[in-house]
Amino acid sequence: MSGENPAVYCRDQVRRFDHDRYLTVLFAPPYARARLFALYAFNLEIARVREAVREPMIGQIRLQWWRDALDEMAQGSVRQHPVALYLAAAIESAELPRAMFDRLLEAREFDLAGTPPADLAALEHYADSTSATLMALAAAALGAGGPAVEAATHHVGIGFALVGLLRAVPFHARQRRLYLPADRLYATAIDVEALFAGRASPALARIAQEIGARAGEHLALARRIRREVPRAAVPALLPAIVADIYLARLARCGYALFDPTILRPAGSRALRLAIASLLGRY
């Protein structure tokens, strides 16, 4: 891996494993695309730690590797890893704040715990700490900041993450992982073993609908302040368009989370993203 071209490696990783964000990068100014690919490739590295390890301690070691790598970057030394090399250049050129990277790494420790979020508020906190923090870093990489950008990335980040977590339920079920609020699961007496086996239920659909509605509320809140958000931030916020597409698909299938159509990529993404980018909307 150390001999691979960092730019090509990061771009290809995002294209293969985070295609929604990959498409949004194409609408960013050329100078910022490298920064965004570096950020999104780093996010993939830490988001996939839970999938790559069997023991939580090994996952903690991998996350600590990235903390140490960031420490070394601050001291002018970069590890020979394609993502680290590309990320170091992005951090330096855009002066990206270390605290946000620490927040991302801390949030990924939750993945290793193997327990569902206690309630919807805890799920939103997780979405804020992961997706919204990454979105705030993307906005900073684009040179956009201020209270309106902070609010917009907060709400779009949560909305996008909630939709993504709903779509990922089949994947997580196969790994016997849950990101649905524990209080809702218990209150509706959902058979967790049946869920892990890929069997849907009306109760599961109701929980999904509630989470989907909350995602829609966050996206609406972000759009209320759209006129206050500088156009430079729009590429970071374009995942809102993708979230709309998937929310509509979830609604059409009655929030049946194991319906295979939910995971199919939407063919209209590129066109809708292009229109939104042209109009400066998200």
Side-chain angles (χ1 to χ4, degrees):
M1 183 185 290
S2 60
E4 295 191 53
N5 181 296
V8 173
Y9 179 84
C10 290
R11 183 196 63 208
D12 288 353
Q13 286 292 296
V14 178
R15 179 179 56 81
R16 291 177 60 195
F17 300 110
D18 193 357
H19 201 257
D20 290 329
R21 285 195 179 97
Y22 172 81
L23 289 175
T24 68
V25 175
L26 303 183
F27 299 100
Y31 75 86
R33 290 175 193 163
R35 300 173 183 174
L36 295 177
F37 280 134
L39 285 173
Y40 296 157
F42 167 74
N43 181 62
L44 281 171
E45 288 286 326
I46 63 173
R48 292 187 295 187
V49 165
R50 175 61 181 82
E51 302 166 24
V53 302
R54 292 187 177 182
E55 297 295 329
M57 182 58 69
I58 303 300
Q60 292 285 1
I61 291 171
R62 292 198 177 197
L63 293 177
Q64 186 60 45
W65 189 96
W66 280 104
R67 289 190 177 94
D68 294 342
L70 287 163
D71 287 340
E72 292 171 16
M73 289 177 202
Q75 298 166 7
S77 176
V78 185
R79 297 187 175 190
Q80 294 303 300
H81 183 289
V83 176
L85 290 165
Y86 216 36
L87 184 64
I91 290 172
E92 182 179 7
S93 64
E95 298 182 352
L96 301 177
R98 170 62 187 271
M100 289 189 180
F101 290 97
D102 288 335
R103 191 179 190 211
L104 282 171
L105 287 163
E106 182 179 351
R108 289 302 172 184
E109 292 179 355
F110 175 81
D111 296 334
L112 302 174
T115 56
D119 50 29
L120 184 53
L123 177 60
E124 289 180 283
H125 176 73
Y126 172 78
D128 184 35
S129 300
T130 53
S131 176
T133 300
L134 180 64
M135 202 164 285
L137 276 168
L142 289 158
V149 171
E150 183 178 347
T153 55
H154 167 76
H155 288 299
V156 172
I158 292 177
F160 181 67
L162 293 181
V163 174
L165 287 168
L166 288 178
R167 297 179 69 236
V169 163
F171 172 76
H172 290 145
R174 290 192 292 272
Q175 297 187 328
R176 300 183 67 83
R177 294 164 61 190
L178 281 173
Y179 285 86
L180 300 173
D183 64 339
R184 267 59 168 187
L185 294 173
Y186 299 145
T188 55
I190 281 184
D191 184 340
V192 174
E193 289 302 320
L195 193 159
F196 287 157
R199 296 199 294 272
S201 69
L204 180 61
R206 287 194 295 271
I207 294 174
Q209 186 173 12
E210 180 183 4
I211 295 172
R214 188 63 183 139
E217 290 171 7
H218 278 289
L219 295 173
L221 286 169
R223 287 170 175 136
R224 287 182 187 175
I225 58 170
R226 187 159 51 197
R227 293 184 179 181
E228 303 169 38
V229 175
R231 195 180 183 104
V234 168
L237 297 165
L238 283 177
I241 302 298
V242 180
D244 284 342
I245 295 171
Y246 292 137
L247 267 179
R249 183 178 291 178
L250 283 162
R252 283 197 300 271
C253 72
Y255 287 88
L257 298 183
F258 292 99
D259 186 323
T261 63
I262 289 175
L263 288 179
R264 291 175 188 165
S268 62
R269 286 176 302 167
L271 177 60
R272 291 183 60 173
L273 287 168
I275 294 171
S277 177
L278 181 64
L279 297 176
R281 298 176 179 174
Y282 53 84

